[in-house]
Amino acid sequence: MTTKMTKRQFLQSIGAAAGVAAVYRSMNALGLVGANTAQAATLDLSPGSGGGKSVVILGAGISGLVAAYELSKADYDCTILEATNRAGGRNLTARGGDIIREEDSRQWVGFDPEEHLYANLGPARLPHHHTTILGYCKEFGVDLEVFTNDNRAAFFHNLEGFDGKPVVARQVMTDTRGYLAELLAKAVHRTALDDVLAGEDKERLLDLLRSYGDLDVADDLYTGSDRGGYQGEQVHAGLAPGEVNDPLDFSQLLSSDFWEYKLHFSQFLDQNPTLLQPVGGMDAIVDAFEERLEHLTRYRSIVKEIRKTADGVRIVYRRRRRRGLSILDADFAICTIPAPVLKDISNDFSADTQAAIESIEFSNAVKIGFQARRRFWEEDHGIYGVISWTDQDITQIWYPPYGYQRAKGIIMGAYIWDDEPGLRYAAMSPAERLQTAIAEGEALHPGYEAEIEAGVSRAWAKVRFQRGGWPTSYQAPARLREPDGAIYFAGDQLSALPGWQEGAALAAHAAVRAINERVTATA
């Protein structure tokens, strides 16, 4: 019996195999998303085109900040309502002395007060082709540095493979390439490819494979390569020639999960070098927007009702530490509130709009940052930035691509996005999360616990006004790309780039553009 795959399942399978960019191209080919909703890198509204029309923006995350900035430049009267005491939404950088709150816990960040000791508990990378958010960095003078996303000195780890010991990425990658090149060379020698290759092309392919896989030119076999390093944890030969590592067992490589996507992780378009980050923390982007928009923002303003009126919209909200409810009427609203929160706010949306909001599911993402007393990843393993992988719940360990060779550093001891491990960690107390992540980190770094001085965690599903990390589907509901009366919707949940600040900015641009077209058409 053949089971028919839905479009959503099809797109999710592409996302798992090839990343967000492949999904977006597939959506374009299927006609599921218009180019105008997710492509523009700039937004230039005519000065004064807003004519003083009022817009209330719900949420001061990246999407809300972008919308307010662009509208205010065009003479719209903007007000941002933000439920918390800070802007940025999921853009959150933790530093020493900060308080990190979740629904049932409160964590004090015990990092030392040095400028390089911080943890990006939300977004941490800016791909070089995310031109919208990079454009704002350039416009605002936010200094950027390279984010090292791929490093051959980091580790791959499977509990059941290679005796449960981590193996160095350079050897995994080198040996996998060598074995594949050898197999293809054998196929050429056995004339298995004669129907597609002939004469000179066969010799050229063999030359390519010898170079690509570092094969023994005498017999086209792979017997190891100095590209994978030398024995005794020696990376290079040194004064003496040294002995090249024996190749990893091919059968164990095949039975590991390394090849499923970890080996080619940096080949996904949204993970390609060069990636960037703001110097000093991702919240530098938020700070730059906030500097320009703080006078428009009402913090600790919790939206209780979203209503349509004959002339526009009415927002009923409660200001924390104040009695009673406040009312704000406006010509338009842009709602960036995450769907898991928005679905429970009283409203008079159409049934189709409400159903679309309720259809959006968010990931159970968790991040854990540790301050280490010394930069043992650099001193002991020569790891300068990037990611080690494990099949344990913590999924990844990130090494900071900044503050090199300082005395201390912040290591990301877990980055979890799959639901089951995310839910397991979210159910723990903050102290239990730290201890569990340390125990799992021991498998990659023996003596790990002794290196850790302080830690902080963020389970995004337990954050009151977020309730999740990012939308799990790459296909946003089409209904929400259209207004419901004078209410427009934005946020990365409306883009084909869920979880990326670029998606949030592009969705804001789409909403701003639509409002401006509506206003200028009736002017």
Side-chain angles (χ1 to χ4, degrees), residues 405-428:
Q405 297 192 335
R406 302 279 187 93
K408 298 182 179 183
I410 303 296
I411 191 170
M412 195 62 65
Y415 181 23
I416 304 166
W417 57 84
D418 284 340
D419 276 347
E420 290 187 10
L423 287 170
R424 282 194 287 271
Y425 265 80
M428 300 176 191

Side-chain angles (χ1 to χ4, degrees), residues 284-402:
I285 297 173
V286 177
D287 291 346
F289 274 110
E290 199 171 18
E291 184 180 318
R292 294 158 175 82
L293 300 171
E294 193 167 19
H295 64 291
L296 305 178
T297 307
R298 299 180 188 177
Y299 295 102
R300 295 187 172 91
S301 298
I302 303 169
V303 175
K304 308 300 288 186
E305 298 179 30
I306 303 172
R307 304 295 181 191
K308 292 176 279 190
T309 66
D311 298 320
V313 298
R314 169 167 289 180
I315 308 300
V316 180
Y317 65 100
R318 178 174 60 84
R319 302 203 69 174
R320 282 192 284 176
R321 300 179 182 173
R322 295 190 184 183
R323 293 183 178 180
L325 297 174
S326 300
I327 294 175
L328 179 59
D329 291 323
D331 297 308
F332 301 97
I334 297 179
C335 181
T336 74
I337 298 172
V341 178
L342 179 60
K343 68 182 179 65
D344 294 328
I345 294 176
S346 182
N347 64 74
D348 55 8
F349 298 150
S350 71
D352 287 349
T353 298
Q354 184 66 26
I357 292 167
E358 292 179 359
S359 73
I360 300 175
E361 298 178 358
F362 271 49
S363 69
N364 292 291
V366 176
K367 276 191 169 182
I368 297 176
F370 290 121
Q371 177 176 298
R373 65 180 182 85
R374 68 183 184 98
R375 300 174 77 94
F376 61 86
W377 52 93
E378 295 175 0
E379 295 174 9
D380 299 347
H381 306 290
I383 298 174
Y384 288 84
V386 85
I387 298 163
S388 284
W389 295 85
T390 176
D391 60 350
Q392 300 173 99
D393 282 355
I394 57 173
T395 310
Q396 293 182 335
I397 293 178
W398 287 23
Y399 312 97
Y402 52 86

Side-chain angles (χ1 to χ4, degrees), residues 83-86 89 92-94 97-109 121 300 320-321 430 433 456-467:
T84 71
N85 62 355
R86 54 173 287 275
L92 174 64
T93 303
D98 289 348
I99 303 295
I100 303 298
R101 292 179 174 85
E102 294 179 9
E103 290 175 343
D104 57 1
S105 67
R106 183 174 179 271
Q107 302 173 67
W108 178 78
V109 182
L121 297 178
R300 295 187 172 91
R320 282 192 284 176
R321 300 179 182 173
R433 290 176 200 158
V456 64
S457 67
R458 186 62 149 181
W460 284 99
K462 299 191 75 173
V463 178
R464 183 180 176 192
F465 299 109
Q466 297 292 339
R467 296 186 190 167

